[in-house]
Amino acid sequence: MFTGIVTDMGEVVSVAPRGELRRLRIACSYDAESIALGASIACSGVCLTVVVVAREGARTVFEVDAAAETLAVTTVGTWAEGTRINLERALKIGDELGGHIVTGHVDGVAKILSRDDFDDMCRFWFEAPHDLSRFIAKKGSVALDGVSLTVNDVEENRFSVLLIPHTLAVTTLGVRRAGDALNIEVDLMARYAARLSEAR
């Protein structure tokens, strides 16, 4: 479980195919001693399992494997050496829940339709996959590239979010532009509410 509050920006160091898997090496500022093998780290919203961790000079590098399903439904398949990604460690009991409950199980990919910068803030309009748009509600929550955000407006498959200067500075969303694709995870409670209403 995660909160959608990004705690580091990492960089993909290398990508190596391994049959249907891809092994990714990711550099970060986390203390290597604090990352256990088997730990879950949300990488731009995608929950991936650490299989190797090492200290390389001044930085920590951890390795994860992305399976065929992950490569098919997320942006991980487009990552290459130098790609910057948002990172979040798994939630611990007693941690502050500053965003919303995020599982790291990405539902699909949303596309940025427009970006409007003003007063050091930014408004994005996104297009969500049609089958996910029913889970997106005004004033509801959505995770985009692992960042917990509040939905401002919804128009059919389109929705907008407003980013404050802090979010633009400490996540990769600050450099995103129209046409970019981001991992999207809809709100867990919205998904269960829809499932319950269908069962009636």
Side-chain angles (χ1 to χ4, degrees):
M1 284 293 186
F2 306 92
T3 66
I5 303 299
V6 170
T7 54
D8 192 18
M9 276 196 283
E11 181 180 347
V12 177
V13 176
S14 66
V15 179
R18 292 191 170 199
E20 291 191 8
L21 296 174
R22 281 195 197 164
R23 173 67 59 91
L24 296 103
R25 299 179 70 244
I26 299 167
C28 67
S29 63
Y30 297 139
D31 180 4
E33 300 290 320
S34 72
I35 303 175
L37 292 182
S40 294
I41 297 180
C43 301
S44 282
V46 183
C47 179
L48 296 172
T49 302
V50 175
V51 295
V52 175
V53 63
R55 191 85 182 150
E56 294 187 6
R59 61 186 184 176
T60 295
V61 175
F62 65 90
E63 298 183 17
V64 294
D65 288 327
E69 174 72 4
T70 300
L71 298 171
V73 302
T74 73
T75 62
V76 175
T78 67
W79 296 356
E81 182 180 342
T83 299
R84 301 280 287 167
I85 58 175
N86 297 316
L87 298 176
E88 182 187 356
R89 305 284 299 272
L91 195 59
K92 296 188 194 101
I93 298 296
D95 281 355
E96 180 179 325
L97 187 60
H100 71 283
I101 296 172
V102 178
T103 64
H105 303 159
V106 170
D107 294 300
V109 174
K111 180 181 175 184
I112 300 175
L113 298 175
S114 65
R115 172 180 176 150
D116 180 26
D117 291 276
F118 59 96
D119 299 333
D120 295 325
M121 296 186 292
C122 172
R123 178 175 287 107
F124 282 106
W125 274 94
F126 293 91
E127 182 176 35
H130 178 72
D131 60 332
L132 298 180
S133 60
R134 67 191 183 113
F135 300 114
I136 300 170
K138 186 173 182 174
K139 305 302 180 192
S141 296
V142 66
L144 293 165
D145 266 5
V147 183
S148 174
L149 297 168
T150 301
V151 176
N152 291 135
D153 290 296
V154 178
E155 298 174 358
E156 297 180 346
N157 291 351
R158 300 169 64 243
F159 68 96
S160 69
V161 297
L162 181 69
L163 276 67
I164 62 173
H166 176 77
T167 305
L168 293 169
V170 302
T171 73
T172 60
L173 298 182
V175 297
R176 294 299 195 174
R177 299 288 179 261
D180 287 352
L182 279 72
N183 295 315
I184 181 171
E185 180 183 332
V186 298
D187 185 60
L188 190 64
M189 289 186 286
R191 187 196 322 274
Y192 281 117
R195 184 65 177 148
L196 286 170
S197 68
E198 289 168 1
R200 290 181 182 163

